[in-house]
Amino acid sequence: AVQAGIRLHRAIDTFTDQHPVVRRSTQRLREAGYGKYAGVISDVFLDHFLARNFADYSTEPLAVFVPRLYKLLQQHQAVMPERAQRTLHYMALHNWLLGYAFLEGINRALNGLSQRARPGSGMETAGEELQRNYAAYEADFREFFPELQELVSSLL
């Protein structure tokens, strides 16, 4: 089951990275000055719109789903690499997944990513880009996500 989950995750990543709508978002970020970090930032923006609009895609509220997911992941920590275990600890402790639904949570995530990137990545300011062009990024998400759902359905 873990291997199947990893394969599914890789298929989702590949589909996302190659999708023309996501590439449009990534190009917008490159033009805003985020260079090679544009893809990472675009992924964070997608996470934001999924969390913010979770009720459109699930009958389970995000506030119920997230703690259930953390608990499930924590039950399987033993099979995770040490680095993933540490990340999960902080993810749950600071409730990153629920925080993604809010601009403050996205800003925190981007600031954390900027700490691990090379100096000058600019990721710490990408939340401002999201706010400036919020409607465009949300439109990209809404165009892209149903196609991702179709992919996942076809693979399950």
Side-chain angles (χ1 to χ4, degrees), residues 77-126:
Q77 278 189 103
V79 299
M80 294 179 188
E82 187 177 321
R83 183 174 175 193
Q85 290 179 31
R86 282 194 310 271
T87 299
L88 175 59
H89 170 77
Y90 288 106
M91 181 183 286
L93 181 67
H94 299 290
N95 205 1
W96 291 356
L97 296 177
L98 189 62
Y100 283 0
F102 307 98
L103 289 173
E104 311 87 67
I106 290 300
N107 285 330
R108 249 190 325 275
L110 291 164
N111 191 44
L113 288 168
S114 76
Q115 301 296 315
R116 294 187 296 278
R118 290 188 177 171
S121 73
M123 284 194 286
E124 69 280 359
T125 68

Side-chain angles (χ1 to χ4, degrees), residues 2-142:
V2 171
Q3 290 174 341
I6 290 169
R7 283 192 297 274
L8 178 61
H9 185 89
R10 288 179 178 162
I12 289 168
D13 279 349
T14 298
F15 180 82
T16 300
D17 291 344
Q18 294 175 355
H19 197 283
V21 174
V22 175
R23 286 186 177 202
R24 180 172 61 214
S25 287
T26 303
Q27 183 59 35
R28 190 180 302 118
L29 286 159
R30 279 195 183 95
E31 291 169 4
Y34 295 101
K36 70 179 184 177
Y37 297 99
V40 174
I41 296 166
S42 179
D43 284 349
V44 173
F45 288 4
L46 291 172
D47 291 343
H48 167 68
F49 289 112
L50 177 57
R52 181 172 173 86
N53 300 295
F54 197 77
D56 294 345
Y57 305 103
S58 177
T59 57
E60 184 175 25
L62 183 64
V64 173
F65 172 78
V66 166
R68 187 173 62 78
L69 178 63
Y70 288 145
K71 184 177 180 181
L72 178 66
L73 291 170
Q74 289 163 342
Q75 289 170 349
H76 297 282
Q77 278 189 103
V79 299
M80 294 179 188
E82 187 177 321
R83 183 174 175 193
Q85 290 179 31
R86 282 194 310 271
T87 299
L88 175 59
H89 170 77
Y90 288 106
M91 181 183 286
L93 181 67
H94 299 290
N95 205 1
W96 291 356
L97 296 177
L98 189 62
Y100 283 0
F102 307 98
L103 289 173
E104 311 87 67
I106 290 300
N107 285 330
R108 249 190 325 275
L110 291 164
N111 191 44
L113 288 168
S114 76
Q115 301 296 315
R116 294 187 296 278
R118 290 188 177 171
S121 73
M123 284 194 286
E124 69 280 359
T125 68
E128 296 166 18
E129 168 63 17
L130 176 59
Q131 286 181 285
R132 266 192 304 276
N133 293 297
Y134 198 88
Y137 291 110
E138 184 170 25
D140 289 350
F141 170 81
R142 290 200 180 270

Side-chain angles (χ1 to χ4, degrees), residues 134-155:
Y134 198 88
Y137 291 110
E138 184 170 25
D140 289 350
F141 170 81
R142 290 200 180 270
E143 184 178 346
F144 160 73
F145 198 70
E147 294 181 33
L148 178 60
Q149 288 178 294
E150 285 180 31
L151 170 77
V152 170
S153 292
S154 76
L155 295 175

